[in-house]
Amino acid sequence: MSKIEFVIFALAAVLVKECRSQQCPCNDGLNFVGDNVDEYGISRGLEKSLTAVTACFWMNIPASYVKTHSPTILSYATSYADNEIIIWVTSTLKVARRSIWAESPNVVADGKNHHACVTWDLSTGWIKMYVDGIKKAKIFRPTSFIPAGGTWIIGQDQDRLGGGFAKRDSMKGFLAEVNVWDRILCSYEIAALAVSCGPLMKGNVKAHNDFDIKGGVETFKPACCLGN
């Protein structure tokens, strides 16, 4: 571990200790069966356009599933474009803004728990991707602002606003603590989120409990919760 990474994780430990002292509650994880169009979470609305965004989540996806599917973690669509934001997994983590996309090089669909964050900043054009608290990719992808008024979906890709789902894009495995912010989280904030699936910070655009869960998605308390 480099000195910079050591400092980042030391700051993260401070945040985690503070959350433990306040007995932060832990949100339910979501367990998706997969290979269907009925399981997803939906939350409508974005009050203002975004010029920066951070999306973070915990996931566990079986390696065998991505041989035939491309499970979607999070998608945001508007009446203008169905891929304003989409985060999905092949064997690796991918993100797209309309037709512009980026990829993290390391495997995340391996049947293990992983924390991931994706950041995008209009002012710089940089997309950054973090896996388990460590920055794994930094890609220059200039694009436009993210317009307001759309629909957020977890567990499915929107081929039209709020729908157009396909089995091949369905999530399988678990998701927890899906949160979206209208700013770029600092490295130590991301590192803190990556060492606990308790809600250290709630997304100010969308929080995990803002989503209305549909279909046969089961809820459970993740083993990585604070205090477990």
Side-chain angles (χ1 to χ4, degrees), residues 187-202:
S187 295
Y188 75 86
E189 292 176 305
I190 292 174
L193 292 171
V195 294
S196 172
C197 62
L200 296 177
M201 297 180 292
K202 182 179 179 179

Side-chain angles (χ1 to χ4, degrees), residues 46 49-54 74-78 80-88 94-103 118-123 125-128 139 141-148 152:
L46 176 61
S49 300
L50 299 178
T51 57
V53 68
T54 300
L74 176 70
S75 66
Y76 176 68
T78 66
Y80 307 105
D82 56 11
N83 284 333
E84 289 289 355
I85 302 174
I86 179 170
I87 301 171
W88 77 103
K94 293 181 169 65
V95 59
R97 281 245 36 237
R98 298 195 178 184
S99 60
I100 299 172
W101 66 280
E103 179 180 10
V118 174
T119 72
W120 165 79
D121 189 348
L122 176 62
S123 66
W126 287 110
I127 293 173
K128 298 179 183 180
I139 305 100
R141 295 288 191 270
T143 183
S144 60
F145 66 89
I146 299 170
W152 300 85

Side-chain angles (χ1 to χ4, degrees), residues 25-44:
C26 191
N27 289 318
D28 287 338
L30 304 174
N31 190 30
F32 293 79
V33 175
D35 195 39
N36 66 74
V37 297
D38 302 315
E39 295 179 318
Y40 61 94
I42 184 169
S43 184
R44 301 186 188 280

